[in-house]
Structures are given as C-alpha cells and as structure tokens.
C-alpha cells in the first residue's frame, strides 16, 4: 500500500491529496496509482528474470484502458478471458504476440476474433473447445497455437469461490483426458499444441501449490515428448497474493525461489498471468459517509454512498478490505488484526488502540476517537456490508473513507444494480491526476434500452 500513505493527517496517492481529487471528481471514486502498477509489473518480472518470463497481466483484475496502456508501454502482455477483454487489449495497441486467452466457454465468434488478430495462444480447457478451435482455424486457413490447461487436482487453499485447480472445479482438463488429447493430437491439423497451462486459484498465500502443480507438469511433459508433441511454453497462471491487512505476505521472489528449479526442469519459455499482485494495492475506492445510525442493541452503522454494486468482494467472498478515513489525526495501524476475513469487536478494538498508541509513542485515550461500527452501503441487500464490527476512528456525515486494496476485482466486478451509476476511475501519476473513466450518468443507465 506504499503508494497510498498519510502525510499531515491526509491520505495521499503518490503526490496528490485524495481529498483534493474527490472534491473535483465526486464520490464514490476509484483512485489508482500509475507507479504502483508499473512497480508491481517490474517486481514480478525481476523476481523471475532467470526464466525471462513473458508477463501477461490478467485483464479481468483491472481492465481500464489507461491502466492497460501503461502496462503495455512497460512491456507487459495480457491474459484475456473474453472477446471484450481482447478488444480492450488491442485498443491500447497491445502486441497480439503477447496475448494469451483462457476461459472454459470461448464462443466460436470469440475464437474467430482471436485467430484473426493473431494472438499468441489459447489456453484450451476441454476437448470440445480444442475441436472448435481446430475447425475455425481450418476455415480461416490458420494454424492455432494452444496450451493445454491441465487441472492437476491441487488444493490452493483459497476461498472456495476462487479455487480453480481441484477436480470438482470446472477449469482445465484432468490429467487422464489431457494424456488422451496429446496422444491424438495429430488428428487436429489446424492446431499446434505447444504449451501447458496451469492456474490453481487466487490469492495463493503459499508456494506449495505452485510446486505441486509444477511437479505434475514435469510428470506430464515426457508423455508429450513420447507422442511427438513439442511443448515450448509453460504458463503457470496467476494467483500471487497481496497483503490486504498490512501484514507481510510472501512476494514474487519467494515464489521464484521455490519454483525456479521446477520451472527450469521443464525447459520451456515461462509465461505468467499475474492480476491482483500488480493491480490490487494499486487502487483504493473512496466513499462518503451519508448517515450514521445506532440501534437499540447498541449496534452502530456507518452508511456510505458506495455499495456492494461498486465493490463486490466483501459481499461475495467475505473479503476484508482495510478502511480508514481519508482525513484523520488517528494514525492507521501498520497491521490490522483479524486476518483475511477481518473480525473484531471489543478485543480487536483494544488491540488496535494499543497498536496505534505504540506507533504514536504516546499514551492516548483512543476510546474517545475510535468506535466499533458496521460500514455499509445503500443497496437493498443484507450483504451490502464492507466491514462488520470494525474499529474505526469516529467519522461524521460527509467525511470520506478510503477502502484499500481495491485496484483488483473492484471496478471490473462492479454493476449498476439498484440502477446506481458506477463510480469514476482516476489515475494518479506523480503530482497530476486524470479521470480515466467518467462517472456513469442516469442516461448511461438507460442508453441501450428501447421503449
Ligand atoms: N489466470 C487465470 C486463468 C485466472 O483465472 C486468473 C484469475 C488469473 C490468471 C489472475 O489471478 P490473480 O493473479 O489476479 O490472482 N474475483 C476474485 C478473483 C477471481 C480470479 C479469477 N481468475 C477476487 O476478487 O478475489
């Protein structure tokens, strides 16, 4: 989160006061640091430099054109999962030879679009899809390059809704079927199987699942060779974690240290598909407090102008995002207790008070400054909650709150549910900022409808 820091009681994004941005663009707003994306890209590239990886930024995590353009200029390729994402990548002038295309349900229209634009390869997720790619490639008189996405049945120990590498998940091809495909590959004249792809889920907080996945790949490669299938590319997917709490997490160099031997053993060119690691802590969402209320069991609610339609992760995955006022004299603790899911209550409040007091090196009566609240949105759903029983500095109506780590799967998963126009997106670069996606209007909400 180092690109979002407090200075003189004000949250800054790079060289700009967040408060100043919001007073110009309004609330709620997504605010991104350009440098954070580029730093994340460089960190992962450097960590794996021994394998000279092709980094394909996962567009689903943040698909804003200005973000994609900045990353393309830094040399990034792209991992896309739909014709729409491919369209976005091509729009910013991405090199098609650095685009890989995953997803279990590529339509024939999407396959045709990708072939016509000469992308590097498809990550194929079923036998039926392979046949479809072969047929469309033959109609276009092309040879499609593909990687077989294997499902190695490895538990990445992520949230059940973001696990992809177990047998019961819809993703990838089980090892036995993958072997059969390889042994019959010569039947597909318009397809060249040149890669193996494996993506286990996200976020993965341990190197072990990657090691297990790579071991399975290394067991599989000799079978490809025996069938005359020359595998040149190894795509190890994404899933690299970030810190949502301020607590230290493993970093790309740690994943690299544990996996480089297994990667080199494959003898393949490495492709990686990081999303969250590059975009997660490159963005925040700012929301304004509309009302506060307390009920007769003493529960306090801070009601904001952003809702689950703007940032879905807490409602969908019980995800914990740190929240702190944009302008406050109370220092945000370096680490928030409670872990991935957050938590709280009085115990946590006490812990937080001690931490803040220690950091500020003064004995403080923070009971006056902090209160335990539920931070909620205006959407008509009980799951429209950003944080439950969370100790926060006392805030009043019209004050701004920053919801951290919102750069990945924030705006991209937003919707206009409850007919709420979606927030604007702002990109900060040093001491300047630009609105890189306008706030939606009521007219935008109905623009495609006929009466
Ligand atoms: N490659 C493939 C094939 C993927 O399916 C994904 C993510 C990635 C790469 C990038 O994963 P990352 O590096 O960002 O972890 N909406 C959820 C995450 C779903 C991820 C889906 N696939 C969330 O908000 O946590």
């Amino acid at each position: 989160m180092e690109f979002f820091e407090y200075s003189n009681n004000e949250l800054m994004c790079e060289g700009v006061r967040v408060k100043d941005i919001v007073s110009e663009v309004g609330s709620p707003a997504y605010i991104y640091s350009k440098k954070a994306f580029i730093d994340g890209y460089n960190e992962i590239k450097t960590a794996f430099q021994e394998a000279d990886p092709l980094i394909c930024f996962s567009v689903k995590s943040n698909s804003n054109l200005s973000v994609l353009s900045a990353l393309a200029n830094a040399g990034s390729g792209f991992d896309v999962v739909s014709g729409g994402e491919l369209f976005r990548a091509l729009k910013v002038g991405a090199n098609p030879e650095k685009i890989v295309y995953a997803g279990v349900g590529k339509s024939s229209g999407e396959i045709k679009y990708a072939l016509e634009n000469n992308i590097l390869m498809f990550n194929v997720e079923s036998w039926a899809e392979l046949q479809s790619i072969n047929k469309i490639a033959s109609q276009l008189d092309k040879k499609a390059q593909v990687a077989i996405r294997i499902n190695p049945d490895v538990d990445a120990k992520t949230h059940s809704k973001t696990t992809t590498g177990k047998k019961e998940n819809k993703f990838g091809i089980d090892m036995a079927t993958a072997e059969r495909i390889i042994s019959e590959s010569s039947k597909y004249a318009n397809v060249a199987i040149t890669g193996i792809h494996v993506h286990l889920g996200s976020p993965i907080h341990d190197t072990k699942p990657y090691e297990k996945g790579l071991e399975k790949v290394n067991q599989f490669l000799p079978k490809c060779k025996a069938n005359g299938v020359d595998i040149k590319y190894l795509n190890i997917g994404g899933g690299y974690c970030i810190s949502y709490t301020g607590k230290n997490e493993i970093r790309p160099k740690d994943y690299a240290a544990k996996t480089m031997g297994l990667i080199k053993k494959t003898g393949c060119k490495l492709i990686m598909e990081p999303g969250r690691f590059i975009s997660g802590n490159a963005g925040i969402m700012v929301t304004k407090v509309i009302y506060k209320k307390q009920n007769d069991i003493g529960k306090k609610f801070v009601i904001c102008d952003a809702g689950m339609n703007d940032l879905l992760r807490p409602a969908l995955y019980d995800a914990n995002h740190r929240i702190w006022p944009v302008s406050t004299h109370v220092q945000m603790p370096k680490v928030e207790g409670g872990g991935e899911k957050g938590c709280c209550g009085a115990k946590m409040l006490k812990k937080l008070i001690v931490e803040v007091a220690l950091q500020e090196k003064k004995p403080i009566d923070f009971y006056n400054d902090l209160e335990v609240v539920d931070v909620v949105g205006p959407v008509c759903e009980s799951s429209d909650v950003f944080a439950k029983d969370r100790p926060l500095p006392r805030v009043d109506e019209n004050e701004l709150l920053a919801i951290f780590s919102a750069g990945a799967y924030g705006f991209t998963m937003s919707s206009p549910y409850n007919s709420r126009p979606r927030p604007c997106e702002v990109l900060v670069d040093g001491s300047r900022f630009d609105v890189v996606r306008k706030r939606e209007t009521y007219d935008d909400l109905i623009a495609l409808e006929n009466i």
Side-chain angles (χ1 to χ4, degrees), residues 58 60 79 149 199 202 238-239 273 275-276 313 317 409 413:
S58 198
K60 65 176 87 65
D79 151 48
R149 177 174 180 174
H199 170 81
S202 90
E273 303 172 332
R276 186 188 323 261
R313 301 192 75 257
Y317 314 119
Y409 308 107
M413 290 176 79

Side-chain angles (χ1 to χ4, degrees), residues 173-190:
I173 301 174
D174 65 86
M175 304 301 289
T177 308
E179 270 183 47
R180 291 201 345 260
I181 290 179
I182 292 292
S183 68
E184 293 184 17
S185 62
S186 55
K187 279 191 189 163
Y188 305 103
N190 291 80

Side-chain angles (χ1 to χ4, degrees), residues 2-204:
E2 62 264 37
F3 298 97
F4 295 90
E5 299 231 298
Y6 284 87
S7 167
N8 298 324
N9 302 334
E10 283 296 335
L11 181 61
M12 310 288 294
C13 175
E14 298 192 23
V16 190
R17 288 205 300 199
V18 168
K19 181 173 87 176
D20 294 345
I21 298 174
V22 178
S23 70
E24 208 169 305
V25 307
S27 165
Y30 275 93
I31 299 176
Y32 307 127
S33 152
K34 184 173 175 185
K35 197 165 184 317
F37 290 100
I38 305 302
D39 267 35
Y41 170 78
N42 286 331
E43 181 174 339
I44 205 154
K45 183 140 179 101
T46 309
F48 282 83
Q49 70 185 359
E50 228 181 304
D52 187 26
L54 168 62
I55 308 284
C56 292
F57 173 66
S58 198
V59 173
K60 65 176 87 65
S61 73
N62 190 314
S63 60
N64 183 280
L65 292 182
S66 297
V67 168
L68 301 185
S69 168
L71 284 165
N73 289 338
S76 185
F78 297 100
D79 151 48
V80 302
V81 289
S82 67
E85 286 191 354
L86 175 56
F87 176 75
R88 284 178 174 274
L90 295 173
K91 255 291 180 261
V92 302
N95 180 354
E97 284 171 20
K98 291 185 179 177
I99 296 179
V100 292
Y101 189 163
V104 295
K106 302 172 191 85
S107 70
S108 42
E110 289 176 313
I111 292 168
K112 183 164 179 268
Y113 178 46
L115 282 170
E116 283 167 348
N117 282 286
N118 302 315
I119 64 162
L120 176 62
M121 60 169 56
F122 295 92
N123 297 325
V124 169
E125 309 227 14
S126 64
W127 208 322
E129 182 195 333
L130 187 73
Q131 285 160 356
S132 177
I133 293 174
N134 187 54
K135 189 169 143 207
I136 298 163
S138 115
Q139 285 159 0
L140 297 176
D141 199 19
K142 289 195 177 237
K143 189 143 188 161
Q145 195 159 223
V146 306
I148 298 292
R149 177 174 180 174
I150 56 166
N151 180 325
D153 196 24
V154 168
D155 186 356
K157 306 237 157 50
T158 58
H159 190 282
S160 63
K161 287 186 178 145
T162 59
T163 288
T164 59
K166 283 165 69 182
K167 268 213 168 109
E168 61 264 36
N169 303 133
K170 68 174 177 176
F171 298 97
I173 301 174
D174 65 86
M175 304 301 289
T177 308
E179 270 183 47
R180 291 201 345 260
I181 290 179
I182 292 292
S183 68
E184 293 184 17
S185 62
S186 55
K187 279 191 189 163
Y188 305 103
N190 291 80
V191 160
I193 301 176
T194 57
I196 301 293
H197 175 245
V198 55
H199 170 81
L200 301 169
S202 90
I204 304 175

Side-chain angles (χ1 to χ4, degrees), residues 44 48 152 154-156 158 198-218 235-241 250 254-256 258-259 262-263 272-274 277:
I44 205 154
F48 282 83
V154 168
D155 186 356
T158 58
V198 55
H199 170 81
L200 301 169
S202 90
I204 304 175
H205 295 269
D206 187 7
T207 60
K208 282 265 160 15
Y210 289 94
E211 293 169 57
K212 284 190 192 153
L214 281 165
E215 275 155 18
K216 294 255 174 126
V217 171
N218 274 309
N235 183 336
I236 58 168
Y240 316 97
C241 67
I250 54 172
D254 305 310
Y255 294 108
K258 293 284 186 187
T259 57
L262 290 161
I263 291 168
M272 303 175 76
E273 303 172 332
F277 181 77

